[in-house]
Short mmCIF file of all heavy atoms in Angstrom, two decimals:
data_model
loop_
_atom_site.label_atom_id
_atom_site.label_comp_id
_atom_site.label_asym_id
_atom_site.label_seq_id
_atom_site.Cartn_x
_atom_site.Cartn_y
_atom_site.Cartn_z
N HIS A 56 -177.98 136.85 -86.53
CA HIS A 56 -178.59 135.76 -87.25
C HIS A 56 -177.90 134.47 -87.00
O HIS A 56 -176.85 134.44 -86.32
CB HIS A 56 -178.66 136.05 -88.77
CG HIS A 56 -177.35 136.10 -89.46
ND1 HIS A 56 -176.36 137.06 -89.21
CD2 HIS A 56 -176.79 135.29 -90.45
CE1 HIS A 56 -175.31 136.85 -89.95
NE2 HIS A 56 -175.52 135.78 -90.72
N HIS A 58 -176.16 132.05 -88.58
CA HIS A 58 -175.03 131.40 -89.29
C HIS A 58 -173.89 131.07 -88.33
O HIS A 58 -173.57 131.84 -87.39
CB HIS A 58 -174.51 132.28 -90.45
CG HIS A 58 -175.41 132.19 -91.63
ND1 HIS A 58 -175.50 133.17 -92.63
CD2 HIS A 58 -176.29 131.22 -92.01
CE1 HIS A 58 -176.35 132.80 -93.52
NE2 HIS A 58 -176.86 131.62 -93.20
N ASP A 60 -170.70 131.16 -88.37
CA ASP A 60 -169.59 132.08 -88.14
C ASP A 60 -170.02 133.27 -87.27
O ASP A 60 -169.21 134.20 -87.05
CB ASP A 60 -168.96 132.51 -89.49
CG ASP A 60 -169.91 133.16 -90.41
OD1 ASP A 60 -171.12 132.76 -90.47
OD2 ASP A 60 -169.56 134.15 -91.07
N HIS A 61 -171.28 133.28 -86.76
CA HIS A 61 -171.74 134.33 -85.90
C HIS A 61 -172.12 133.77 -84.52
O HIS A 61 -172.31 134.53 -83.57
CB HIS A 61 -172.96 135.06 -86.51
CG HIS A 61 -172.60 135.74 -87.74
ND1 HIS A 61 -172.55 137.12 -87.89
CD2 HIS A 61 -172.22 135.26 -88.99
CE1 HIS A 61 -172.17 137.46 -89.11
NE2 HIS A 61 -171.97 136.33 -89.81
N HIS A 114 -180.75 138.29 -95.98
CA HIS A 114 -179.58 137.40 -95.96
C HIS A 114 -180.08 136.04 -95.37
O HIS A 114 -179.88 135.02 -95.96
CB HIS A 114 -178.51 138.02 -95.16
CG HIS A 114 -177.32 137.15 -94.90
ND1 HIS A 114 -176.43 136.76 -95.91
CD2 HIS A 114 -176.85 136.61 -93.74
CE1 HIS A 114 -175.53 135.95 -95.32
NE2 HIS A 114 -175.76 135.86 -94.05
N THR A 115 -180.73 136.14 -94.21
CA THR A 115 -181.56 135.03 -93.72
C THR A 115 -182.94 135.66 -93.43
O THR A 115 -183.06 136.87 -93.29
CB THR A 115 -180.99 134.37 -92.41
OG1 THR A 115 -181.01 135.35 -91.34
CG2 THR A 115 -179.60 133.83 -92.61
N HIS A 118 -183.07 137.57 -89.92
CA HIS A 118 -181.93 138.46 -89.55
C HIS A 118 -182.43 139.78 -88.96
O HIS A 118 -183.37 140.38 -89.44
CB HIS A 118 -181.17 138.75 -90.86
CG HIS A 118 -179.77 139.34 -90.61
ND1 HIS A 118 -179.53 140.46 -89.87
CD2 HIS A 118 -178.54 138.91 -91.07
CE1 HIS A 118 -178.23 140.70 -89.87
NE2 HIS A 118 -177.60 139.78 -90.58
N ASP A 131 -174.68 140.55 -91.37
CA ASP A 131 -174.32 140.26 -92.76
C ASP A 131 -175.33 140.87 -93.76
O ASP A 131 -175.54 140.35 -94.88
CB ASP A 131 -174.35 138.75 -93.01
CG ASP A 131 -173.03 138.07 -92.48
OD1 ASP A 131 -172.20 138.78 -91.95
OD2 ASP A 131 -172.97 136.84 -92.51
N PHE A 142 -179.75 133.75 -98.56
CA PHE A 142 -179.85 132.34 -98.15
C PHE A 142 -181.36 132.00 -98.14
O PHE A 142 -181.93 131.82 -99.21
CB PHE A 142 -179.16 132.08 -96.80
CG PHE A 142 -177.66 132.06 -96.94
CD1 PHE A 142 -176.91 133.22 -96.97
CD2 PHE A 142 -176.95 130.88 -97.08
CE1 PHE A 142 -175.53 133.20 -97.13
CE2 PHE A 142 -175.62 130.83 -97.27
CZ PHE A 142 -174.87 132.00 -97.26
N HIS A 169 -167.96 141.37 -91.71
CA HIS A 169 -166.97 140.77 -92.59
C HIS A 169 -166.07 141.82 -93.21
O HIS A 169 -166.49 142.90 -93.56
CB HIS A 169 -167.63 139.95 -93.75
CG HIS A 169 -168.17 138.65 -93.29
ND1 HIS A 169 -167.35 137.53 -93.12
CD2 HIS A 169 -169.44 138.26 -92.99
CE1 HIS A 169 -168.15 136.50 -92.74
NE2 HIS A 169 -169.38 136.94 -92.69
ZN1 ZN B 1 -174.46 135.11 -92.50
#
Side-chain angles (χ1 to χ4, degrees):
H56 67 295
H58 283 157
D60 57 323
H61 297 250
H114 172 68
T115 64
H118 196 305
D131 284 356
F142 284 82
H169 283 280

